[in-house]
Amino acid sequence: MMGDRLERKKETTRNALLRAAKRLYAQHGLYGVSIEDITSEADLGKGTFYNHFKSREELIAAVLQEGLDKLITSFGKESPDDSASPAASSRILFQRHLQFFREHPENLLVFHQARGWLKMAKPDGNPIRQEFKRYVDAIAEFLPVSTEGGFGREPPRQTLARFLAGAIAGALSYDFILGENSGPLFPDAIEFENLFQRLSPVSNRLDEQQPAVPAKRDAAPEVVESSFYAISDLSDWNQERFVAIAEEWRSLLSAASSIEDARQQLLNRVNQRHFETYSDGNETHESDRVIVRDCARAWRGLLHSRSERLSGFSVLTTMVDAAQGVRRSNLSPAFWAELGHLVYGIEGRVRLHGGDSLALSASLAGREAALVRSAELDRLGAVMSDWMARYEDGLSAEAANRRAARRHAILSRLAGEEEEWRDWRWQLRHIARDAEGLGGMACLTQDERKRIDTARQRGIPFGVTPYYASLFDEDPGAGRDHAIRAQVVPPQYYLDSFKRRRGVEDFMGEMDTSPVDLITRRYVAIAILKPFNTCPQICVYCQRNWEINEPLEKGSLAAKGKIKEAIDWLSEHPAIHEVLVTGGDPLILSDGRLKSILDQVASLPHVERIRVGTRTPVTLPMRITPALARLLGSYRIPGRREICLVTHVEHPYEATPEMVRAVSLLRTHGVPVYNQLVYTFYVSRRFEAAALRRLLRRCGIDPYYTFYPKGKEETADYRVPLARMLQEQKEEARLLPGLARTDEAVYNVPRLGKNYLNSWQHRDLISLRPNGARVYEFHPWEKKITPQDTYVGDDAPILDYLMRLQSIGEKPEEYESIWYYF
Ligand code: SF4
């Protein structure tokens, strides 16, 4: 009984979504309606949608299906007998369509736009495509059997059905485009017999020219498909597969007389492929040509003997061994996947694009081009909006309700009052410092409890504020709060590597860039002042995890004399225009202590900007009191000095109305707020970081930097391949307005500082590791100003990353271009 009721409820909700979609699509079209619009029209929560439809395309297909069912049923009335001519049947079909759309005008826009939608969709398995196929089959079914013998060049019934569907759709489209003055939709006076007679010579010519018609993406050549199969078939990479892909390379390598000869042979092949692809007459799609160019650059980097020296590994030797059938057991599937994709790339066997660009093709111009381009952009906008709808943000009504309930539960557990909750000192007094403490405020899995216990036993700092604990969900399996949990609960690998090495490393080489205690300097005009060495809660992947104390640990504030020495040192370096006051989190100092430090910084005549690094807007927003905002704002002297705050919001689900209020208060006092995002696995799904940027801007926070996670061994679980970060910048962030994607993607090079990832000139791919990780050589920012050594760093293996995404329900094929970002 219970099961029946649940099923009925499910059915009712699904129907409500369908009805809402139909209503909105009829009014605004497919592109003008977001999933949020539909759930709101149906008076349902945003998250409900994906319980009933896998994607927006599945919903469109369901709406289409309803309309097509009715249309196809209408064919059935008075269907012509088998002796009727194709022309007579076609005429009836035209009339039935006309009648149907008169009676059901709400379907017209959906039918029209759904075809456009498919133009740029993936070839297979698309539910909308299946619906149109069913429609064409129904038309074929309607045509008389005599059509099997055909007319004119006698095409089969299916061809005529496709032709008729196209003619009807064309007439409908032009009626839609030209509007009221376009005359009757299907003039009954059309002489179908004559029309077909005239068309048949065209049909003959097309048939004769068949081989010359360029291949469409739907009919991609075999090599193209094999590239994409490589992506869906993640677990099947090995030496044999690589050798089979690189047959010509195997011949070159087998015939080489020495390693140096093999190097030269492959280099020649790479240069030849690059040159040929850019030669006149080469038919590679303009947009795919760059893959060959980029792979050529990558191969040159991998093949060079200098790269082998720098990285301590020879990719060339592994390929020579593979060609000669020598097994190298230490080479992982991820290694072979990299090599395989690099061969696909340089050999021009990857096609991410097919057909002509719609709006920018020479055949369209003016308003016509603009309309087509605009429809194309609407489609991209719809794709973006579908992806973003998957990530619930913390400002939604559902999240607010959930968190209000969590807050009440925590207050009751801690015997606190609402007023106390808003008191930042009360929050500090109740920081959870172990699994029992956090488990009393939030629902933890057994595994999470165990890991927190292990962290405590091993002396790894740990702490979570009650406010932040209220952001945890009751149902961790729902996956909304995965980034929040990952922020504070250490993963097993972190704990194990900590144990192995009895401590974690100073990855950024802070010791080597600290000219005096409390100061770090990596740049000409900026210095970091770290007077306070603790935070209200501890981020697992903190850059300074090797030196940060337990939350609020005594002695974390540097002695007055030490701070004075640091200020004196700053006063002797007038090149420094900006001082970043961080730690630790300086905003958990009292207003008085903070003022004493900031006053000293502000007294330096050459300091034009004071930057405060803090996570309190996210972990303890009640700390941003009116008095604190006033104090910070008092350091702003227009024309002389500014002050700003840099925070770290990691995921849209971390946002809350309290955070928004804190940011507004700061801005009211002239203190702008910027965000530094660490691009970890937990915010790396398609459009997840883009959703965060949009949200931040709405909250008054400017995206500032997006960091590649530091290459520290213990934080390996957080890392994503650099290629994914670049892909996100080019394929997701790029779709946002410039004012929402103000962040710069950077790799923090130990001792040297930020390397700007959007400039490929700043790095070279030089090798692979046996585990498939890419090895890059990063150039120092001052490379053309002063001499400085480069830095060699390892990445995270792409194949492993894709498999991990797959394990959380992502489709690796939706990330397929990742292999071609270097
Ligand atoms: S708030 Fe900053 S300094 Fe403190 S633990 Fe987190 S990352 Fe480290």
Side-chain angles (χ1 to χ4, degrees), residues 135-156:
Y135 166 62
V136 173
D137 289 347
I139 292 179
E141 197 55 31
F142 183 82
L143 294 171
V145 174
S146 63
T147 316
E148 296 289 7
F151 65 95
R153 269 276 293 186
E154 302 182 345

PDB file of all heavy atoms in Angstrom, residues 135-156:
ATOM      1  N   TYR A 135       8.509   9.881 -35.086  1.00  0.00           N
ATOM      2  CA  TYR A 135       7.601  10.689 -35.909  1.00  0.00           C
ATOM      3  C   TYR A 135       7.788  10.381 -37.404  1.00  0.00           C
ATOM      4  O   TYR A 135       6.829  10.146 -38.141  1.00  0.00           O
ATOM      5  CB  TYR A 135       7.881  12.151 -35.577  1.00  0.00           C
ATOM      6  CG  TYR A 135       7.324  13.194 -36.518  1.00  0.00           C
ATOM      7  CD1 TYR A 135       5.954  13.328 -36.707  1.00  0.00           C
ATOM      8  CD2 TYR A 135       8.176  14.066 -37.198  1.00  0.00           C
ATOM      9  CE1 TYR A 135       5.446  14.307 -37.550  1.00  0.00           C
ATOM     10  CE2 TYR A 135       7.685  15.048 -38.035  1.00  0.00           C
ATOM     11  CZ  TYR A 135       6.328  15.164 -38.217  1.00  0.00           C
ATOM     12  OH  TYR A 135       5.830  16.124 -39.061  1.00  0.00           O
ATOM     13  N   VAL A 136       9.058  10.334 -37.828  1.00  0.00           N
ATOM     14  CA  VAL A 136       9.331  10.038 -39.241  1.00  0.00           C
ATOM     15  C   VAL A 136       8.854   8.616 -39.574  1.00  0.00           C
ATOM     16  O   VAL A 136       8.269   8.372 -40.641  1.00  0.00           O
ATOM     17  CB  VAL A 136      10.844  10.217 -39.549  1.00  0.00           C
ATOM     18  CG1 VAL A 136      11.177   9.755 -40.958  1.00  0.00           C
ATOM     19  CG2 VAL A 136      11.251  11.669 -39.367  1.00  0.00           C
ATOM     20  N   ASP A 137       9.066   7.684 -38.638  1.00  0.00           N
ATOM     21  CA  ASP A 137       8.590   6.311 -38.866  1.00  0.00           C
ATOM     22  C   ASP A 137       7.073   6.289 -39.050  1.00  0.00           C
ATOM     23  O   ASP A 137       6.542   5.553 -39.879  1.00  0.00           O
ATOM     24  CB  ASP A 137       8.964   5.405 -37.681  1.00  0.00           C
ATOM     25  CG  ASP A 137      10.459   5.127 -37.641  1.00  0.00           C
ATOM     26  OD1 ASP A 137      11.144   5.424 -38.653  1.00  0.00           O
ATOM     27  OD2 ASP A 137      10.956   4.631 -36.611  1.00  0.00           O
ATOM     28  N   ALA A 138       6.379   7.126 -38.254  1.00  0.00           N
ATOM     29  CA  ALA A 138       4.915   7.152 -38.342  1.00  0.00           C
ATOM     30  C   ALA A 138       4.475   7.691 -39.696  1.00  0.00           C
ATOM     31  O   ALA A 138       3.493   7.217 -40.293  1.00  0.00           O
ATOM     32  CB  ALA A 138       4.338   8.002 -37.215  1.00  0.00           C
ATOM     33  N   ILE A 139       5.207   8.688 -40.213  1.00  0.00           N
ATOM     34  CA  ILE A 139       4.867   9.220 -41.550  1.00  0.00           C
ATOM     35  C   ILE A 139       5.092   8.119 -42.596  1.00  0.00           C
ATOM     36  O   ILE A 139       4.249   7.898 -43.483  1.00  0.00           O
ATOM     37  CB  ILE A 139       5.713  10.469 -41.869  1.00  0.00           C
ATOM     38  CG1 ILE A 139       5.297  11.605 -40.940  1.00  0.00           C
ATOM     39  CG2 ILE A 139       5.556  10.882 -43.319  1.00  0.00           C
ATOM     40  CD1 ILE A 139       6.070  12.898 -41.138  1.00  0.00           C
ATOM     41  N   ALA A 140       6.227   7.418 -42.468  1.00  0.00           N
ATOM     42  CA  ALA A 140       6.531   6.342 -43.432  1.00  0.00           C
ATOM     43  C   ALA A 140       5.432   5.296 -43.398  1.00  0.00           C
ATOM     44  O   ALA A 140       4.973   4.800 -44.433  1.00  0.00           O
ATOM     45  CB  ALA A 140       7.878   5.714 -43.084  1.00  0.00           C
ATOM     46  N   GLU A 141       4.991   5.001 -42.217  1.00  0.00           N
ATOM     47  CA  GLU A 141       3.937   3.998 -42.014  1.00  0.00           C
ATOM     48  C   GLU A 141       2.645   4.435 -42.723  1.00  0.00           C
ATOM     49  O   GLU A 141       1.894   3.621 -43.241  1.00  0.00           O
ATOM     50  CB  GLU A 141       3.727   3.913 -40.499  1.00  0.00           C
ATOM     51  CG  GLU A 141       3.009   2.733 -39.934  1.00  0.00           C
ATOM     52  CD  GLU A 141       3.617   1.396 -40.324  1.00  0.00           C
ATOM     53  OE1 GLU A 141       4.846   1.269 -40.525  1.00  0.00           O
ATOM     54  OE2 GLU A 141       2.812   0.489 -40.450  1.00  0.00           O
ATOM     55  N   PHE A 142       2.415   5.742 -42.748  1.00  0.00           N
ATOM     56  CA  PHE A 142       1.186   6.279 -43.325  1.00  0.00           C
ATOM     57  C   PHE A 142       1.195   6.190 -44.850  1.00  0.00           C
ATOM     58  O   PHE A 142       0.148   6.088 -45.490  1.00  0.00           O
ATOM     59  CB  PHE A 142       1.038   7.745 -42.889  1.00  0.00           C
ATOM     60  CG  PHE A 142      -0.225   8.404 -43.357  1.00  0.00           C
ATOM     61  CD1 PHE A 142      -1.411   8.225 -42.651  1.00  0.00           C
ATOM     62  CD2 PHE A 142      -0.243   9.169 -44.512  1.00  0.00           C
ATOM     63  CE1 PHE A 142      -2.586   8.828 -43.094  1.00  0.00           C
ATOM     64  CE2 PHE A 142      -1.404   9.775 -44.952  1.00  0.00           C
ATOM     65  CZ  PHE A 142      -2.586   9.607 -44.238  1.00  0.00           C
ATOM     66  N   LEU A 143       2.413   6.248 -45.418  1.00  0.00           N
ATOM     67  CA  LEU A 143       2.508   6.279 -46.885  1.00  0.00           C
ATOM     68  C   LEU A 143       2.092   4.928 -47.466  1.00  0.00           C
ATOM     69  O   LEU A 143       2.257   3.893 -46.815  1.00  0.00           O
ATOM     70  CB  LEU A 143       3.940   6.628 -47.297  1.00  0.00           C
ATOM     71  CG  LEU A 143       4.370   8.045 -46.911  1.00  0.00           C
ATOM     72  CD1 LEU A 143       5.858   8.241 -47.149  1.00  0.00           C
ATOM     73  CD2 LEU A 143       3.574   9.078 -47.697  1.00  0.00           C
ATOM     74  N   PRO A 144       1.556   4.930 -48.677  1.00  0.00           N
ATOM     75  CA  PRO A 144       1.095   3.662 -49.255  1.00  0.00           C
ATOM     76  C   PRO A 144       2.259   2.715 -49.524  1.00  0.00           C
ATOM     77  O   PRO A 144       3.388   3.159 -49.742  1.00  0.00           O
ATOM     78  CB  PRO A 144       0.440   4.088 -50.565  1.00  0.00           C
ATOM     79  CG  PRO A 144       1.052   5.387 -50.884  1.00  0.00           C
ATOM     80  CD  PRO A 144       1.386   6.047 -49.579  1.00  0.00           C
ATOM     81  N   VAL A 145       1.960   1.424 -49.505  1.00  0.00           N
ATOM     82  CA  VAL A 145       2.995   0.419 -49.735  1.00  0.00           C
ATOM     83  C   VAL A 145       3.632   0.620 -51.107  1.00  0.00           C
ATOM     84  O   VAL A 145       4.819   0.372 -51.319  1.00  0.00           O
ATOM     85  CB  VAL A 145       2.391  -0.999 -49.617  1.00  0.00           C
ATOM     86  CG1 VAL A 145       3.424  -2.060 -49.999  1.00  0.00           C
ATOM     87  CG2 VAL A 145       1.911  -1.229 -48.197  1.00  0.00           C
ATOM     88  N   SER A 146       2.839   1.150 -52.049  1.00  0.00           N
ATOM     89  CA  SER A 146       3.367   1.358 -53.400  1.00  0.00           C
ATOM     90  C   SER A 146       4.604   2.253 -53.378  1.00  0.00           C
ATOM     91  O   SER A 146       5.414   2.238 -54.285  1.00  0.00           O
ATOM     92  CB  SER A 146       2.304   1.978 -54.304  1.00  0.00           C
ATOM     93  OG  SER A 146       1.959   3.244 -53.797  1.00  0.00           O
ATOM     94  N   THR A 147       4.747   3.037 -52.306  1.00  0.00           N
ATOM     95  CA  THR A 147       5.912   3.908 -52.210  1.00  0.00           C
ATOM     96  C   THR A 147       7.209   3.100 -52.136  1.00  0.00           C
ATOM     97  O   THR A 147       8.286   3.604 -52.403  1.00  0.00           O
ATOM     98  CB  THR A 147       5.797   4.796 -50.949  1.00  0.00           C
ATOM     99  OG1 THR A 147       4.485   5.284 -50.887  1.00  0.00           O
ATOM    100  CG2 THR A 147       6.763   5.943 -50.994  1.00  0.00           C
ATOM    101  N   GLU A 148       7.090   1.820 -51.723  1.00  0.00           N
ATOM    102  CA  GLU A 148       8.279   0.976 -51.707  1.00  0.00           C
ATOM    103  C   GLU A 148       8.925   0.965 -53.078  1.00  0.00           C
ATOM    104  O   GLU A 148      10.128   0.909 -53.219  1.00  0.00           O
ATOM    105  CB  GLU A 148       7.919  -0.476 -51.321  1.00  0.00           C
ATOM    106  CG  GLU A 148       7.367  -0.620 -49.912  1.00  0.00           C
ATOM    107  CD  GLU A 148       8.407  -0.420 -48.855  1.00  0.00           C
ATOM    108  OE1 GLU A 148       9.540  -0.044 -49.174  1.00  0.00           O
ATOM    109  OE2 GLU A 148       8.066  -0.617 -47.670  1.00  0.00           O
ATOM    110  N   GLY A 149       8.063   1.052 -54.113  1.00  0.00           N
ATOM    111  CA  GLY A 149       8.599   1.133 -55.481  1.00  0.00           C
ATOM    112  C   GLY A 149       8.990   2.549 -55.803  1.00  0.00           C
ATOM    113  O   GLY A 149       9.782   2.797 -56.693  1.00  0.00           O
ATOM    114  N   GLY A 150       8.408   3.506 -55.085  1.00  0.00           N
ATOM    115  CA  GLY A 150       8.821   4.886 -55.162  1.00  0.00           C
ATOM    116  C   GLY A 150       8.302   5.679 -56.328  1.00  0.00           C
ATOM    117  O   GLY A 150       7.434   5.234 -57.063  1.00  0.00           O
ATOM    118  N   PHE A 151       8.813   6.842 -56.456  1.00  0.00           N
ATOM    119  CA  PHE A 151       8.471   7.744 -57.549  1.00  0.00           C
ATOM    120  C   PHE A 151       9.756   8.422 -57.973  1.00  0.00           C
ATOM    121  O   PHE A 151      10.754   8.414 -57.241  1.00  0.00           O
ATOM    122  CB  PHE A 151       7.429   8.780 -57.093  1.00  0.00           C
ATOM    123  CG  PHE A 151       7.950   9.697 -56.037  1.00  0.00           C
ATOM    124  CD1 PHE A 151       8.491  10.928 -56.402  1.00  0.00           C
ATOM    125  CD2 PHE A 151       7.954   9.334 -54.708  1.00  0.00           C
ATOM    126  CE1 PHE A 151       8.999  11.780 -55.438  1.00  0.00           C
ATOM    127  CE2 PHE A 151       8.460  10.181 -53.744  1.00  0.00           C
ATOM    128  CZ  PHE A 151       8.986  11.401 -54.103  1.00  0.00           C
ATOM    129  N   GLY A 152       9.751   9.060 -59.168  1.00  0.00           N
ATOM    130  CA  GLY A 152      10.971   9.686 -59.653  1.00  0.00           C
ATOM    131  C   GLY A 152      12.093   8.656 -59.636  1.00  0.00           C
ATOM    132  O   GLY A 152      12.008   7.609 -60.252  1.00  0.00           O
ATOM    133  N   ARG A 153      13.135   8.917 -58.873  1.00  0.00           N
ATOM    134  CA  ARG A 153      14.247   7.956 -58.750  1.00  0.00           C
ATOM    135  C   ARG A 153      13.884   6.784 -57.833  1.00  0.00           C
ATOM    136  O   ARG A 153      14.722   5.980 -57.471  1.00  0.00           O
ATOM    137  CB  ARG A 153      15.458   8.673 -58.149  1.00  0.00           C
ATOM    138  CG  ARG A 153      16.352   9.268 -59.183  1.00  0.00           C
ATOM    139  CD  ARG A 153      17.336   8.259 -59.734  1.00  0.00           C
ATOM    140  NE  ARG A 153      18.289   7.864 -58.709  1.00  0.00           N
ATOM    141  CZ  ARG A 153      19.339   7.080 -58.939  1.00  0.00           C
ATOM    142  NH1 ARG A 153      19.543   6.603 -60.156  1.00  0.00           N
ATOM    143  NH2 ARG A 153      20.154   6.766 -57.968  1.00  0.00           N
ATOM    144  N   GLU A 154      12.645   6.766 -57.420  1.00  0.00           N
ATOM    145  CA  GLU A 154      12.095   5.696 -56.595  1.00  0.00           C
ATOM    146  C   GLU A 154      12.847   5.492 -55.266  1.00  0.00           C
ATOM    147  O   GLU A 154      13.372   4.427 -55.000  1.00  0.00           O
ATOM    148  CB  GLU A 154      12.049   4.387 -57.407  1.00  0.00           C
ATOM    149  CG  GLU A 154      11.225   4.529 -58.648  1.00  0.00           C
ATOM    150  CD  GLU A 154      11.144   3.229 -59.414  1.00  0.00           C
ATOM    151  OE1 GLU A 154      11.938   2.321 -59.143  1.00  0.00           O
ATOM    152  OE2 GLU A 154      10.274   3.117 -60.254  1.00  0.00           O
ATOM    153  N   PRO A 155      12.941   6.549 -54.457  1.00  0.00           N
ATOM    154  CA  PRO A 155      13.546   6.357 -53.136  1.00  0.00           C
ATOM    155  C   PRO A 155      12.605   5.534 -52.257  1.00  0.00           C
ATOM    156  O   PRO A 155      11.403   5.551 -52.473  1.00  0.00           O
ATOM    157  CB  PRO A 155      13.682   7.781 -52.593  1.00  0.00           C
ATOM    158  CG  PRO A 155      12.642   8.555 -53.306  1.00  0.00           C
ATOM    159  CD  PRO A 155      12.419   7.904 -54.637  1.00  0.00           C
ATOM    160  N   PRO A 156      13.117   4.858 -51.271  1.00  0.00           N
ATOM    161  CA  PRO A 156      12.240   4.053 -50.429  1.00  0.00           C
ATOM    162  C   PRO A 156      11.307   4.934 -49.594  1.00  0.00           C
ATOM    163  O   PRO A 156      11.514   6.133 -49.469  1.00  0.00           O
ATOM    164  CB  PRO A 156      13.218   3.276 -49.547  1.00  0.00           C
ATOM    165  CG  PRO A 156      14.467   4.060 -49.584  1.00  0.00           C
ATOM    166  CD  PRO A 156      14.504   4.755 -50.907  1.00  0.00           C
TER     167      PRO A 156
END
